[in-house]
Amino acid sequence: MILPVKIYGSEVLRRKALPVEDFDGNLKKLVEDMAETMYKAPGIGLAAPQVGVSKRVFVADISTPDKKDKLYVLVNPEIVEFSEEKDKFEEGCLSIPGIYEDVVRPVAIKVKAQNLEGEDFTLSVEGLLARCFQHEIDHLNGILFVDRVSGFRKKLLKGKLKRNFGIVY
Ligand SMILES: [Zn+2]
């Protein structure tokens, strides 16, 4: 089932999401719906708060027609290591349509999470996938990529957000 995506200005996007405690059918259904919603959009990642569910879970898939990856499902993710090296890349967000800005982030991370069965796993990722994971984990903490834009762009961006969404929050 495709779920409606919460848009910039929505309170749930600013809330710190709660840990998932029940690894049950409801969680599986939520993740299934989130994946369907992400693929339909299309997007490369979607966090539960973006569909109005304040829980610590996200889905991601950076596959392109030339390069197949896979669907990642991370429950209660936690970044345990960041690379010192950072890079800058243009990001967008399904919750902030029409806005694209360069964001500086570490190029590689190590993340600890649980799967749908509640089993722990650790993943080391880099490049676009590392960026995507960091963007989605930010969502679980009420942080949006526009918060990470700095310098002179920040002022221009605030004007644009105000015009497009009628709010800056
Ligand atoms: Zn986003």
Side-chain angles (χ1 to χ4, degrees):
M1 189 172 82
I2 291 169
L3 306 168
V5 174
K6 298 287 178 185
I7 299 299
Y8 187 85
S10 170
E11 184 268 335
V12 67
L13 294 175
R14 286 306 192 184
R15 225 186 291 159
K16 190 171 157 69
L18 295 171
V20 171
E21 283 168 354
D22 300 323
F23 294 83
D24 55 10
N26 291 335
L27 178 66
K28 285 191 178 72
K29 173 76 175 124
L30 170 67
V31 163
E32 217 171 84
D33 290 346
M34 283 171 59
E36 194 180 341
T37 304
M38 172 183 74
Y39 287 126
K40 179 79 200 310
I44 61 169
L46 189 73
Q50 292 183 272
V51 292
V53 178
S54 199
K55 291 274 179 65
R56 304 189 75 79
V57 53
F58 76 83
V59 295
D61 187 344
I62 59 162
S63 295
T64 62
D66 320 324
K67 199 162 182 281
K68 188 82 192 132
D69 202 306
K70 63 165 196 166
L71 175 67
Y72 295 89
V73 177
L74 276 77
V75 182
N76 298 328
E78 198 187 322
I79 300 174
V80 290
E81 262 178 63
F82 293 93
S83 64
E84 258 172 56
E85 191 194 349
K86 296 182 178 187
D87 69 352
K88 189 160 83 174
F89 194 79
E90 192 179 71
E91 294 188 21
C93 181
L94 295 177
S95 294
I96 317 178
I99 306 277
Y100 300 90
E101 293 286 341
D102 283 343
V103 179
V104 176
R105 295 188 191 269
V107 299
I109 56 166
K110 189 169 166 184
V111 60
K112 234 179 69 181
Q114 287 168 289
N115 64 18
L116 285 172
E117 273 69 50
E119 298 157 346
D120 294 328
F121 65 94
T122 304
L123 266 180
S124 290
V125 294
E126 57 175 28
L128 183 59
L129 195 57
R131 179 168 289 275
C132 176
F133 281 14
Q134 290 174 77
H135 176 121
E136 301 313 327
I137 291 168
D138 271 353
H139 273 301
L140 306 183
N141 293 319
I143 298 166
L144 302 172
F145 84 93
V146 290
D147 304 339
R148 298 201 178 274
V149 173
S150 54
F152 79 99
R153 293 289 313 167
K154 186 91 185 173
K155 212 175 141 116
L156 296 171
L157 175 60
K158 281 189 171 166
K160 204 170 176 191
L161 288 167
K162 179 86 183 142
R163 276 197 308 280
N164 291 13
F165 303 102
I167 187 175
V168 178
Y169 76 141

